[in-house]
Amino acid sequence: MAFYKMRERVGILPSYYIAPSEWERNNFLKGRNNRFVIAACGVIDGCELRQVAVRPDMQSRGYGKAFVSFLLNEMMHRGEKIVKLEVVKGNPAKTLYESLGFKEKSLYHIVTKYYRPDSRLSRPPVEMY
């Protein structure tokens, strides 16, 4: 939900909500030692920090900074010397990441083409708000 709202906020359109597939659910279960979910979620993938998000109703309260700091400490404890993180252009969390020492290294333009828009909801189900 946090990713959907962030993409909507930064103007990545069309932004579709896609319910997790069975494969994603199983993959989530297999990688549970590398996933951290409290009021936020994040995935450690080797030297990459991915899918960091804070629940929309808990953003701007300091949870993101504390959570990313926790993840960085966990990665350093595992022996990583350099941590990579991708940030969507316009994402306000970029300021947070820079305050934690991340530096912009490169800029990518990613284009997504949806081949099966009928399999996606234009908005998340109401019960998820």
Side-chain angles (χ1 to χ4, degrees):
M1 195 64 194
F3 285 114
Y4 172 82
K5 289 198 175 272
M6 180 274 299
R7 289 182 183 113
E8 192 175 56
R9 186 171 50 243
V10 301
I12 297 177
L13 298 173
S15 182
Y16 295 102
Y17 173 78
I18 306 168
S21 67
E22 190 63 31
W23 177 85
E24 289 171 315
R25 290 176 197 273
N26 289 334
N27 206 18
F28 189 87
L29 183 61
K30 280 189 233 174
R32 66 183 172 268
N33 293 331
N34 291 322
R35 295 184 193 276
F36 300 86
V37 180
I38 305 170
C41 68
V43 176
I44 294 174
D45 187 5
C47 69
E48 290 185 32
L49 185 53
R50 301 179 353 169
Q51 298 175 332
V52 177
V54 175
R55 278 180 34 184
D57 61 328
M58 301 187 91
Q59 292 177 356
S60 300
R61 296 183 186 180
Y63 295 116
K65 188 169 191 169
F67 185 62
V68 173
S69 295
F70 166 78
L71 293 173
L72 292 172
N73 286 332
E74 177 66 23
M75 294 173 83
M76 295 297 147
H77 178 73
R78 294 181 182 191
E80 298 299 334
K81 304 287 186 226
I82 296 173
V83 176
K84 297 178 183 179
L85 170 69
E86 291 182 8
V87 181
V88 172
K89 182 180 178 182
N91 186 338
K94 183 179 178 196
T95 306
L96 164 76
Y97 301 135
E98 289 171 341
S99 76
L100 292 170
F102 283 93
K103 306 273 188 245
E104 187 173 314
K105 182 168 178 156
S106 56
L107 178 64
Y108 295 97
H109 292 282
I110 299 172
V111 178
T112 303
K113 182 172 183 177
Y114 294 99
Y115 291 97
R116 294 178 47 208
D118 57 315
S119 66
R120 293 161 173 84
L121 301 173
S122 61
R123 299 201 50 81
V126 174
E127 61 269 8
M128 292 194 69
Y129 279 106

